[in-house]
Amino acid sequence: MAFASSAIEALCSKQRRFFTTVAYVRNKLQGIDVLREPKINKGLGFTFSEREQLKLKGLLPPSFRSQEEQEAAVMKGIRNIRDGLLKYVYLKDLQCTNERLFYRVLCNNTEELMPIVYTPVVGEACLKYSYIYTKPRGLYITAEDAGHVSSILDNWPEKDVRAICVTDGGRILGLGDLGANGMGIPIGKLCLYTALAGIPPSTTLPITIDVGTNNELLLSDPLYTGLRQKRLTGPKYDELLDEFMEAVVKKWGKSCLIQFEDFNNANAFRLLKKYQNKYCTFNDDIQGTAAVCVAGLIASCGLTKTKIRDNVFLFFGAGGAALGIADLLVKAMVEDGLTRIEARSQIWLMDAYGLLSTSRTDLDEQKMRFVKDVKHTSDLEEIINMAKPTALIGASAQGGAFTESILKTMASLNERPIIFPLSNPTSKAECTAKDAYLHTDGRCVFASGSPFDPFSFGGRTFHPSQGNNAYIFPGVALGIIACRVHHIPDFTFLVAAKSLANLVTDEYLEEQRLYPPLHCIRDVSLSIAAKVADYFYSESLATVKPEPTNMFDFVKQNQYDWRYD
Ligand code: NAI
């Protein structure tokens, strides 16, 4: 991997010092105001001479801490807290107090802290968002702002916004409609933009479009912070979303990325289709999920000694996640030499009403693409015996659906059966990692949506893989922002998936890992960003000219640096 030369590093460091000083001088900040500005505050990291110059003496305890020591103190503080939500609140407070320290802590302790700023703790934070809300973060656009959304965007203090993450709170994780409390999601996702891909925080903007909520518990809660009305639907909802998209382009240009997050399924697919070719937008729940799963399936070929086109996939569940994955899988198989019809014939899906078969009359166009002309049944085992899948993928939220008998049937059909119970949270996983390995004599190739701890079986240690979307979206976003594209084709996510799969070394495969370990995730994001940028240039989608000679240096060049000096 190529990195910027030390000369560039030195120049950047000099520039940083210059800009920091300029920020203090230009803002005429002194005394307590310096400590109240999270972008420039260093807390105990201010040297004694800086404290003298900036009139900070007496406003801080008399000791000095290097940034490294500050990180150690924060981590000690966090580890002393037992409750996940309190850890979240502690980190949120740090982010609003000393931004550079917050990102240093998050970057250097990603594995430990990602479950707090992101799933699962962020879910709990969203449930209780109205009670833990203390400081402003992100932008709220409400149904009542229809007709003047632009003026709300004008209130955002940053001039150069490159990436927005937006939710309407319609389906927050597996927790349903959380209305305005969903704000924790775009905030958390954008923290990962910075921590995992180095995207400067000042260029990112979390937005909640509050169109009301159908969650009666929230509506009847006097402390709920959102609009107290049922969800806006129909043309009025669409007009508000259209106005929002237009207002973003007008203010920050066509290349401002808008990531959709946790809209309910019906709106998610509809809006993606509507906006995909018109705006610089993607939906992580659909496209990011698909990419991370397809990456795992491509990597699994290293263990099954097959090509992706040789496989037959059976999806248990045919909702948003499964259909998004199935569509990207078709692209991967076509890339590997099959026709689209052949690829679809090797992808089987079933939902709560059974197999997607020709005899069904309740299927929409998206599902119709995958119907099979065979006897209709709702029995998973019977479908397995008909389809003879090499891979069984669960996206049904039906915990325990992959029973011992199902797993044994998969093991009887395949030397290395691929078993992906993707449903979240852990209680909804179609099977546990232990059960999957146990009932397939340790032969299965496994990845799940929720994390499972490593465990030993038959004298070997297994590291169950977790298909975490964080492997994909920060890197894809970095590539998009660097190239300033105006729209994002679906194929981008196959490029990202292949790039992620390529990072799975023989050593990882030996440990049965289908994804690199989480502590490598920043390097993963860079590699994905560089590949995605390559693709944008090859398709003439990048608007930054001339084409860079080194894509790694190119995507790295505007990365955020949390160091003080
Ligand atoms: P969804 O509600 O759109 O789809 C659920 C599907 O399961 C529907 O097709 C439904 O008919 C089917 N289903 C329900 N009961 C069934 C049964 N008894 N037999 C067969 N099918 C049944 O939900 P979505 O968004 O597709 O998510 C599904 C699961 O996947 C969730 O648990 C979600 O947390 C998980 N997921 C995991 C991701 C990851 O690991 N990166 C990303 C996105 C979703």
Side-chain angles (χ1 to χ4, degrees):
M1 191 181 300
F3 290 102
S5 71
S6 55
I8 294 175
E9 296 263 350
L11 189 67
C12 291
S13 161
K14 212 167 156 187
Q15 263 184 350
R16 256 194 326 272
R17 274 199 301 276
F18 172 73
F19 285 125
T20 308
T21 314
V22 166
Y24 292 124
V25 174
R26 187 189 293 143
N27 295 317
K28 296 200 180 68
L29 289 182
Q30 281 200 323
I32 195 73
D33 291 339
V34 172
L35 303 181
R36 285 181 177 150
E37 176 46 72
K39 275 195 221 167
I40 55 178
N41 182 25
K42 300 193 221 170
L44 290 177
F46 281 113
T47 62
F48 295 115
S49 72
E50 282 172 330
R51 293 180 199 197
E52 200 75 59
Q53 282 165 26
L54 297 168
K55 299 194 186 307
L56 297 176
K57 281 193 80 180
L59 300 181
L60 291 165
S63 61
F64 167 80
R65 276 184 191 154
S66 65
Q67 205 186 27
E68 191 183 351
E69 289 165 337
Q70 286 183 299
E71 177 190 335
V74 169
M75 288 312 294
K76 191 159 186 181
I78 287 189
R79 286 171 188 148
N80 271 333
I81 301 173
R82 299 238 166 262
D83 181 67
L85 185 61
L86 290 180
K87 287 179 197 250
Y88 178 91
V89 171
Y90 181 115
L91 282 170
K92 196 158 122 1
D93 188 62
L94 180 62
Q95 188 181 17
C96 296
T97 312
N98 182 340
E99 191 172 86
R100 287 173 291 181
L101 181 58
F102 169 77
Y103 283 110
R104 176 187 173 122
V105 167
L106 198 53
C107 282
N108 289 345
N109 303 275
T110 307
E111 263 183 291
E112 188 173 341
L113 299 183
M114 204 157 78
I116 297 168
V117 296
Y118 188 51
T119 53
V121 177
V122 73
E124 198 189 341
C126 287
L127 285 169
K128 298 176 180 155
Y129 210 76
S130 293
Y131 317 136
I132 60 171
Y133 178 84
T134 50
K135 296 194 176 98
R137 184 154 289 275
L139 200 63
Y140 292 85
I141 294 168
T142 77
E144 290 171 358
D145 299 320
H148 50 94
V149 170
S150 281
S151 67
I152 307 290
L153 298 187
D154 286 342
N155 290 343
W156 186 246
E158 300 291 345
K159 297 283 164 259
D160 185 21
V161 171
R162 303 280 176 92
I164 288 168
C165 184
V166 63
T167 187
D168 73 350
R171 194 234 58 198
I172 296 297
L173 307 169
L175 303 167
D177 179 353
L178 295 189
N181 280 1
M183 183 56 116
I185 296 296
I187 289 175
K189 288 267 173 169
L190 291 174
C191 283
L192 297 188
Y193 267 41
T194 302
L196 305 184
I199 296 167
S202 63
T203 65
T204 67
L205 167 54
I207 294 186
T208 291
I209 300 190
D210 182 358
V211 293
T213 177
N214 295 343
N215 184 327
E216 292 297 340
L217 274 178
L218 294 179
L219 288 175
S220 60
D221 181 349
L223 296 177
Y224 175 56
T225 51
L227 268 194
R228 243 160 246 285
Q229 64 172 52
K230 290 272 183 196
R231 270 185 181 275
L232 196 66
T233 53
K236 285 212 155 60
Y237 175 90
D238 284 4
E239 281 162 24
L240 182 66
L241 267 287
D242 286 351
E243 186 187 344
F244 163 70
M245 299 300 278
E246 275 306 310
V248 167
V249 168
K250 201 170 130 215
K251 185 156 183 70
W252 290 299
K254 284 182 171 181
S255 58
C256 181
L257 167 63
I258 307 170
Q259 173 176 334
F260 276 65
E261 198 63 53
D262 286 2
F263 283 67
N264 70 36
N265 262 327
N267 282 332
F269 275 101
R270 208 170 51 80
L271 295 173
L272 178 61
K273 201 168 168 193
K274 182 171 175 188
Y275 295 143
Q276 187 171 29
N277 296 320
K278 201 169 166 204
Y279 298 101
C280 180
T281 188
F282 73 90
N283 181 307
D284 186 54
D285 306 306
I286 300 170
Q287 296 164 293
T289 297
V292 82
C293 180
V294 169
L297 292 170
I298 294 172
S300 73
C301 294
L303 288 172
T304 57
K305 309 289 177 217
T306 60
K307 295 201 164 231
I308 199 83
R309 64 163 183 254
D310 303 328
N311 285 277
V312 175
F313 303 92
L314 170 57
F315 287 85
F316 183 74
L323 287 166
I325 299 164
D327 280 340
L328 195 64
L329 208 43
V330 170
K331 288 191 172 56
M333 293 167 94
V334 167
E335 268 262 293
D336 207 22
L338 296 187
T339 64
R340 202 178 288 186
I341 291 173
E342 286 167 338
R344 284 181 184 155
S345 74
Q346 290 174 215
I347 298 174
W348 297 56
L349 294 101
M350 75 175 287
D351 63 13
Y353 306 99
L355 180 68
L356 302 196
S357 63
T358 44
S359 57
R360 296 266 299 259
T361 52
D362 59 331
L363 303 178
D364 60 19
E365 186 200 329
Q366 219 187 344
K367 288 184 176 175
M368 282 301 290
R369 294 202 285 250
F370 294 101
V371 290
K372 300 288 173 287
D373 191 7
V374 294
K375 178 188 145 225
H376 182 75
T377 169
S378 303
D379 185 290
L380 175 59
E381 195 145 354
E382 202 180 336
I383 298 173
I384 292 177
N385 283 318
M386 253 192 302
K388 307 220 176 328
T390 55
L392 179 61
I393 301 159
S396 64
Q398 301 298 306
F402 295 171
T403 58
E404 179 176 344
S405 163
I406 296 290
L407 293 166
K408 285 190 164 156
T409 306
M410 284 299 290
S412 72
L413 290 169
N414 300 284
E415 182 52 38
R416 303 292 315 263
I418 299 168
I419 309 289
F420 277 22
L422 294 183
S423 292
N424 294 319
T426 316
S427 60
K428 306 262 174 161
E430 285 77 6
C431 65
T432 64
K434 232 177 201 161
D435 281 349
Y437 284 111
L438 201 68
H439 300 313
T440 60
D441 314 314
R443 288 187 280 126
C444 74
V445 177
F446 181 91
S448 54
S450 297
F452 286 104
D453 289 334
F455 68 95
S456 299
F457 170 71
R460 290 167 68 193
T461 301
F462 294 89
H463 295 265
S465 307
Q466 186 200 358
N468 193 324
N469 286 28
Y471 281 115
I472 292 286
F473 71 81
V476 169
L478 179 60
I480 291 167
I481 294 167
C483 296
R484 293 184 168 247
V485 298
H486 291 174
H487 72 272
I488 308 158
D490 276 331
F491 200 81
T492 310
F493 290 88
L494 184 56
V495 172
K498 284 165 76 173
S499 162
L500 176 56
N502 274 337
L503 297 171
V504 180
T505 62
D506 289 345
E507 193 186 322
Y508 297 152
L509 287 177
E510 186 58 33
E511 295 175 335
Q512 309 300 306
R513 289 183 198 267
L514 298 179
Y515 301 99
L518 272 181
H519 63 79
C520 305
I521 199 162
R522 272 190 306 284
D523 290 341
V524 168
S525 298
L526 266 184
S527 298
I528 290 176
K531 283 280 184 243
V532 161
D534 243 339
Y535 162 70
F536 289 144
Y537 278 98
S538 70
E539 293 295 310
S540 305
L541 293 167
T543 62
V544 176
K545 300 281 158 43
E547 181 172 343
T549 45
N550 184 320
M551 287 300 170
F552 271 107
D553 287 349
F554 171 61
V555 294
K556 263 177 78 88
Q557 73 189 356
N558 292 315
Q559 280 195 313
Y560 177 70
D561 192 336
W562 36 254
R563 284 173 297 180
Y564 293 146
D565 297 305

